[in-house]
Amino acid sequence: MYSIIVVPPPTTEDEPTRTQHRLAPGERLVFGRSVPEGGLRIGHDGVSRRAGEIAAHGTFWTLSNLSAHQTYVVENPEGAGEHIKVAPGRLDAPVPFEFSRIVLPAAGDLLPVEVWAPRHDYLRGEDGADGEPTAPAFSVDRTKRYFAVLAALCEPRLRGAPHAPLPTMDQVVERLRPAWPAASRTSVQWNIDYLAVKLRLKPGPETAEPGPRLNGKKESLVSLALRFDLVREDDLVVLAAPSGRALR
């Protein structure tokens, strides 16, 4: 059973037929400008002859950086900028992302190597412990308007652009109109302020201390929501026209 799939960087010659490498647990794949047969060859003068090695494990994979001077970055395209850095010479750095992009700096270019790791193990069922249930870390109601506002803010980065700029207030209003025809700049801003308090990014009016206003409120909300999976791509359905029940 394959553990991970590695997709090489696109080139003008093989873009339509990018060869995938499939690794089972315990298997390794060397990549670079000049590699043995069966390795992943990246034909770019800025890539080391033996640039790195990917190793598949049961529930994760590791990246070894075999270059002498260049740091590699492994991005989580679904994680709003989440990434790890693998320093030159670092061996077997574990990567937990289900979908990853290794970014190789190469003489002014940034070459992406995609890694898909579909196999993950999860706990099945409850442990049967008695007592009071654990309180949720973040209490959000997906039927409320504030959640639709949060989804609209997160949408560009959930659609596969982790560094996309956040939508403007007018763009959020327009995006909400199918499910919330009366949405306005004022109502959207009220919900953003409410979310900032609800998710504890700022204190409520009765407890706030005097001082400068919180900057980057929308960015902070989106960062928190995507880091902790408060909003997933499946949740973007709340932005569609309602079928029988409107947002409350």
Side-chain angles (χ1 to χ4, degrees):
M1 178 179 181
Y2 294 118
S3 175
I4 66 171
I5 301 171
V6 182
V7 182
T11 67
T12 54
E13 303 89 44
D14 66 0
E15 176 67 43
T17 57
R18 295 166 64 188
T19 303
Q20 297 181 357
H21 295 258
R22 298 171 181 264
L23 305 180
E27 293 183 336
R28 291 177 173 266
L29 176 70
V30 176
F31 62 89
R33 191 173 79 250
S34 178
V35 296
E37 184 178 356
L40 170 55
R41 181 180 178 276
I42 303 176
H44 192 293
D45 291 341
V47 175
S48 300
R49 288 185 294 275
R50 281 173 58 90
E53 184 178 67
I54 294 169
H57 298 270
T59 57
F60 66 100
W61 58 279
T62 61
L63 172 65
S64 294
N65 183 347
L66 305 181
S67 70
H69 306 290
Q70 187 59 65
T71 295
Y72 298 158
V73 175
V74 184
E75 298 178 339
N76 176 8
E78 301 172 317
E82 184 180 18
H83 68 278
I84 61 174
K85 296 190 292 186
V86 182
R90 171 75 190 276
L91 299 178
D92 292 322
V95 180
F97 309 142
E98 293 188 22
F99 172 43
S100 306
R101 181 184 297 121
I102 306 172
V103 181
L104 306 177
D109 294 324
L110 296 176
L111 305 180
V113 177
E114 295 177 358
V115 181
W116 305 338
R119 178 183 169 185
H120 285 75
D121 293 337
Y122 294 95
L123 181 68
R124 302 293 182 181
E126 297 294 332
D127 59 9
D130 296 328
E132 294 295 325
T134 303
F138 304 99
S139 179
V140 294
D141 185 339
R142 284 165 168 74
T143 68
K144 300 293 187 181
R145 289 172 178 172
Y146 68 73
F147 184 80
V149 171
L150 186 59
L153 289 172
C154 294
E155 183 178 29
R157 296 183 185 180
L158 283 171
R159 296 293 190 188
H163 303 293
L166 297 185
T168 65
M169 194 67 72
D170 288 336
Q171 288 172 330
V172 172
V173 170
E174 188 63 27
R175 188 68 183 91
L176 291 168
R177 285 278 166 77
W180 182 10
S184 66
R185 287 173 59 93
T186 300
S187 58
V188 167
Q189 184 61 59
W190 185 93
N191 278 277
I192 289 174
D193 291 339
Y194 175 78
L195 279 165
V197 174
K198 182 176 182 61
L199 299 180
R200 301 183 180 89
L201 293 178
K202 65 173 291 189
E206 66 282 358
T207 59
E209 297 180 359
R213 296 179 61 187
L214 179 67
N215 292 324
K217 191 183 303 180
K218 291 195 298 183
E219 183 69 44
S220 297
L221 283 171
V222 170
S223 178
L224 179 74
L226 295 181
R227 282 205 314 271
F228 291 99
D229 287 336
L230 303 187
V231 182
R232 301 173 181 266
E233 190 169 0
D234 291 348
D235 291 319
L236 298 181
V237 69
V238 302
L239 302 175
S243 56
R245 187 172 67 176
L247 293 167
R248 294 177 282 131

